Amino acid sequence: MSFDVDVARRLGAQNIAVRFATGPGLTALFGPSGAGKSSVLNMIAGLLRPDRGHIAVDGETLFADGVDLPPERRRAGYVFQDARLFPHRRVAQNLRYGERLADETQRWIGFERTVDFLGIAHLLDRWPRSLSGGEAQRVAIGRALLSGPRFLLMDEPLASLDSPRRAEIMTVIGRIRDELRLPILYVSHDRAEVERLADHMVEINQAIEDASHQ
Amino acid sequence: MMASLKRALWPILAAALALAPAFALIACGNDAQPGPTIVLAASSLQESLEAAADFYAAEGHARPVLSFAASSALARQIDGGAPADLFLSADEDWMDHVAQRGLIAADTRANLLGNTLVLAAPSGSALRWTPGGDLAAALGTGRLAMADPDSVPAGKYGRAALEHLGQWTAVAPHVVRGENVRAALAFVERGEAAAGLVYATDAAASARVRVVATLPDGSHPPIVYPVAVLAASRRADARRFARFLLSPAGQAIFRRYGFTAPQ
Amino acid sequence: MLSAAEWAIIGLSLKVSLVAVAATLPIAFALAWLLARGRFPGRMLVDALVHLPLVLPPVVIGWLLLIAFGRTGPVGGWLQDWFGVSVIFRWTGAAIAAAVMALPLMVRAIRLSIETVDRRLEGAARTLGAGPWRVFFSISLPLSLPGILAAVILGLARSIGEFGATITFVSNIPGETRTLPLAIYSALQVPGSDGEVTRLAVIAIVLSLAALLASEMLARRFRHDDRTGHVL
């Protein structure tokens, strides 16, 4: 099982409860905005603590009774909806941020290959603020890949992009799914997107108990 | 024409509102009332002069308003045109200073009081010294508090005395300067200074210091407190109060606090 | 142009202020962090205490310092017994007075900066493998730098001008605690000193203008960098 997730958490007035177990490839978390999909990603990344449950990815337990790995040890490559590049570092240093912190055995992709793969070689010296949405998103993906993750979390990465950029990034993500063979958990509210990219789909509606999956 | 007048109304109103506080302030400052006599007096006169003012008030006069500070500071205020009536200095130098500038009514100048200089220490301290002895050694690492020897009378007398006794050079690095003699006294009271040079009357006024030694009269210029009515004074009561201070009744009050007759 | 004594006064003022700000900076940062990020009982009380020197009369602060650091005081007695050192009548005491008065201004400036640091960036750094301390030093601290610099300049300006607490706490000792404002005050106590006062006042104005200009230039630099897209 790539993603074995069973968590519940009360967030404000909302009760979020999700359970799913899916195989390799790209798993889409699909549902309307506000259903708590981002919170699920945050729980898997270790940025939000579930009230109860367990989380295991590719056999490794990240959260359970008595286990709660801090985010820096979970080796999740998290691509946020708004890129979240560090404004006080240039693109090159953003890319290398996680790479520096991963040790030899964890790094499975090199700097040149990543830059090539994403087509961002000409952006290395730029400041994040000066990048377009599509460029920033590609750098964010590169940064996540370079940290040597065991899996990827993607939170609506195409949401803030225009059509040409969406197509561009969708292609990149398709290639990551096919060529780099990382388990990917992909959040989206766009059915078309999901149908194009997903190997498995998990539907999440407002605060539902069990999510159905195909 | 009416239209342009109306248009001008708002800016005028705004200007008036902006300037109103300034006008109010200026109006307040205009004090043409006679009011009580204002006395500028050296800090060492604090308790005794308050007692004298009380006595004077009990006789049915308006109680004078008393302002205490170092004589040097008072001289500066008089220089700057302070609207006071009487000046009571702790030495003749500062009275001469304002006299030379024509700021006193020369015919009213008289010597009011004398005093003695002492070395005081905190009540519980074991410090011992006599005028012939080594003061720096007696102080050890402790400080010697005194009024600013460059300008304040008590400080000037103090330095003169220590120079006469040959102690000044050794003691100077230990000195902590107070703004006036009462500030120096406070340092001794708090124990921040090991000892202080103050007037005998100051030591007597404080319950938390003891007199270690009296500095001999010959070691410093005679301590004289001159009094004078200021040239700009328009209050008749000022001269009356000055005469009272010089009278046997007034002098008796000062004696109670330890002041001597002027030499 | 300036006499040796006047240079000495400027030197003392700068020494006292620089030491005060340098010593206060880490404390101000810690307090700012605590107030910006911390959730603990008594937080409002800490906030109020930090702001006390802003609203209390400086003389009262000086008096409280006297009680604490005097020979018989809790801190003063301890310093005397364990280190044989006293801050009364010493420039170190003047620095303490300046530090206490500058603290609230510095805390406010730094706190504002910390509050604008996007915590989601810190989260992103954690997912990239950075532990909490690394996140602090590589993300939070650099992004708070504008506030820290503002705090330093504000703190220096406040310290150089500090008077009431200083004169009450450590008195007016030439060469030790007679900083620029105290020197002006002393000169005013003596007749015939207008020339002296004028020169010292001009120095004070020049120093303050320099602080304001530095602050303005820094603010501009950060604004400019905002446009090209980077901070620093």
Side-chain angles (χ1 to χ4, degrees):
Chain A
M1 289 285 99
S2 282
F3 290 102
D4 177 9
V5 175
D6 175 8
V7 291
R9 161 96 196 200
R10 190 179 174 74
L11 215 58
Q14 218 186 5
N15 260 322
I16 301 170
V18 145
R19 188 192 319 176
F20 61 90
T22 60
L26 191 148
T27 301
L29 275 184
F30 173 71
S33 298
K37 307 188 297 298
S38 298
S39 304
V40 173
L41 283 191
N42 286 336
M43 285 191 256
I44 297 173
L47 296 176
L48 189 63
R49 195 162 202 282
D51 290 334
R52 58 166 175 77
H54 75 264
I55 301 170
V57 177
D58 248 1
E60 177 169 358
T61 307
L62 304 178
F63 177 82
D65 248 340
V67 177
D68 184 6
L69 286 186
E72 59 268 21
R73 300 241 305 271
R74 295 198 180 193
R75 300 194 55 209
Y78 200 152
V79 179
F80 302 89
Q81 186 174 44
D82 50 356
R84 289 195 207 167
L85 299 180
F86 304 131
H88 60 301
R89 298 265 189 272
R90 295 181 197 262
V91 165
Q93 281 105 39
N94 263 278
L95 289 170
R96 290 201 189 276
Y97 188 86
E99 192 192 37
R100 283 212 186 95
L101 297 169
D103 69 49
E104 298 289 321
T105 58
Q106 295 170 324
R107 286 184 232 145
W108 49 265
I109 190 169
F111 190 81
E112 269 70 38
R113 185 167 171 221
T114 307
V115 164
D116 226 24
F117 187 85
L118 295 164
I120 51 177
H122 61 295
L123 301 174
L124 291 178
D125 225 25
R126 298 265 294 272
W127 293 95
R129 191 71 172 271
S130 69
L131 300 176
S132 72
E135 290 168 336
Q137 204 59 290
R138 279 186 281 153
V139 173
I141 294 172
R143 183 176 70 175
L145 288 177
L146 279 166
S147 66
R150 289 176 46 244
F151 60 97
L152 287 184
L153 301 171
M154 295 187 140
D155 190 357
E156 312 221 28
L158 308 180
S160 36
L161 304 177
D162 55 16
S163 301
R165 305 282 145 265
R166 291 170 98 108
E168 183 192 315
I169 304 296
M170 228 192 289
T171 312
V172 168
I173 296 175
R175 286 181 58 204
I176 295 178
R177 177 197 60 195
D178 299 331
E179 294 173 36
L180 302 180
R181 299 183 181 293
L182 275 186
I184 302 176
L185 192 56
Y186 186 97
V187 157
S188 175
H189 64 269
D190 185 320
R191 196 168 266 283
E193 226 172 271
V194 164
E195 283 180 354
R196 242 206 71 180
L197 290 172
D199 295 314
H200 321 278
M201 186 163 82
V202 173
E203 272 199 56
I204 300 186
N205 297 306
Q206 300 291 106
I208 300 292
E209 319 300 298
D210 263 85
S212 60
H213 70 100
Q214 37 169 245
Chain B
M1 207 282 245
M2 280 312 289
S4 59
L5 207 63
K6 272 195 196 162
R7 266 205 301 273
L9 193 63
W10 292 112
I12 291 173
L13 186 60
L17 277 173
L19 291 172
F23 284 130
L25 223 59
I26 293 171
C28 284
N30 236 346
D31 195 340
Q33 312 309 57
T37 299
I38 299 175
V39 182
L40 301 179
S43 351
S44 45
L45 294 169
Q46 199 143 356
E47 292 82 10
S48 49
L49 196 58
E50 293 280 4
D54 286 339
F55 191 95
Y56 188 72
E59 289 194 330
H61 309 286
R63 191 188 192 282
V65 167
L66 310 174
S67 178
F68 299 102
S71 308
S72 43
L74 296 173
R76 192 188 218 287
Q77 289 170 24
I78 295 169
D79 262 3
D85 301 295
L86 236 57
F87 180 31
L88 262 162
S89 171
D91 70 5
E92 302 198 87
D93 287 348
W94 288 118
M95 185 60 82
D96 290 340
H97 173 93
V98 296
Q100 274 155 24
R101 283 157 181 70
L103 296 168
I104 63 167
D107 60 316
T108 63
R109 177 173 177 170
N111 288 345
L112 182 67
L113 301 167
N115 208 337
T116 357
L117 206 64
V118 300
L119 183 76
S123 300
S125 129
L127 191 132
R128 300 248 173 280
W129 179 75
T130 59
D134 185 341
L135 182 53
L139 288 171
T141 54
R143 306 280 210 152
L144 179 71
M146 59 195 294
D148 195 328
D150 288 333
S151 50
V152 181
K156 285 155 69 181
Y157 294 133
R159 174 156 74 187
L162 290 183
E163 278 172 345
H164 179 92
L165 293 170
Q167 301 294 307
W168 178 249
T169 336
V171 162
H174 291 260
V175 167
V176 158
R177 300 156 176 238
E179 224 161 83
N180 53 60
V181 72
R182 285 310 172 90
L185 181 69
F187 291 150
V188 181
E189 283 184 334
R190 282 203 298 259
E192 296 300 347
L197 280 173
V198 298
Y199 297 118
T201 50
D202 297 317
S206 167
R208 288 154 62 187
V209 305
R210 52 168 256 271
V211 173
V212 173
T214 305
L215 267 49
D217 280 342
S219 60
H220 54 75
I223 301 177
V224 173
Y225 287 69
V227 59
V229 174
L230 297 179
S233 169
R234 293 279 166 272
R235 298 184 176 104
D237 184 69
R239 291 172 186 242
R240 205 176 323 139
F241 186 58
R243 277 200 302 274
F244 163 72
L245 295 177
L246 289 160
S247 72
Q251 289 286 303
I253 297 174
F254 287 111
R255 288 294 166 282
R256 277 209 314 270
Y257 285 87
F259 289 91
T260 61
Q263 286 163 294
Chain C
M1 203 189 34
L2 287 177
S3 72
E6 281 156 1
W7 279 116
I9 291 170
I10 299 176
L12 179 67
S13 264
L14 288 174
K15 176 169 83 171
V16 165
S17 305
L18 285 166
V19 168
V21 169
T24 308
L25 194 55
I27 301 173
F29 190 91
L31 284 169
W33 188 271
L34 206 62
L35 291 172
R37 299 282 181 95
R39 297 279 171 274
F40 55 92
R43 185 162 146 245
M44 267 178 61
L45 188 62
V46 173
D47 202 350
L49 282 173
V50 162
H51 281 79
L52 222 48
L54 258 185
V55 294
L56 275 182
V59 198
V60 175
I61 300 285
W63 174 66
L64 289 170
L65 285 173
L66 205 48
I67 293 180
F69 284 89
R71 220 154 257 241
T72 51
V75 186
W78 174 76
L79 282 173
Q80 189 68 42
D81 295 336
W82 282 90
F83 303 96
V85 102
S86 168
V87 297
I88 309 287
F89 305 145
R90 308 254 21 250
W91 71 268
T92 42
I96 293 174
V100 169
M101 299 307 289
L103 182 75
L105 291 176
M106 294 176 73
V107 169
R108 284 176 79 88
I110 298 177
R111 182 180 174 174
L112 273 171
S113 212
I114 291 175
E115 282 169 351
T116 63
V117 171
D118 192 344
R119 301 192 67 168
R120 297 172 311 170
L121 289 174
E122 295 174 346
R126 293 291 295 277
T127 64
L128 290 166
W133 283 108
R134 185 177 289 267
V135 170
F136 174 77
F137 281 107
S138 64
I139 309 293
S140 324
L141 193 57
L143 289 177
S144 321
L145 219 45
I148 294 175
L149 286 170
V152 166
I153 294 187
L154 269 173
L156 278 175
R158 182 67 185 85
S159 297
I160 289 181
E162 172 36 42
F163 176 81
T166 309
I167 200 168
T168 312
F169 178 35
V170 290
S171 315
N172 193 353
I173 321 285
E176 278 292 333
T177 71
R178 188 171 284 181
T179 54
L180 198 50
L182 271 68
I184 295 176
Y185 176 75
S186 301
L188 280 171
Q189 297 295 299
V190 182
S193 60
D194 290 308
E196 177 71 9
V197 172
T198 310
R199 277 205 303 282
L200 290 173
V202 165
I203 294 170
I205 293 172
V206 167
L207 282 174
S208 305
L209 273 177
L212 282 171
L213 282 172
S215 157
E216 187 54 36
M217 271 166 29
L218 266 171
R220 255 193 226 168
R221 181 154 185 255
F222 285 118
R223 257 182 272 140
H224 160 80
D225 292 344
D226 234 33
R227 274 188 274 116
T228 64
H230 65 276
V231 172
L232 301 177

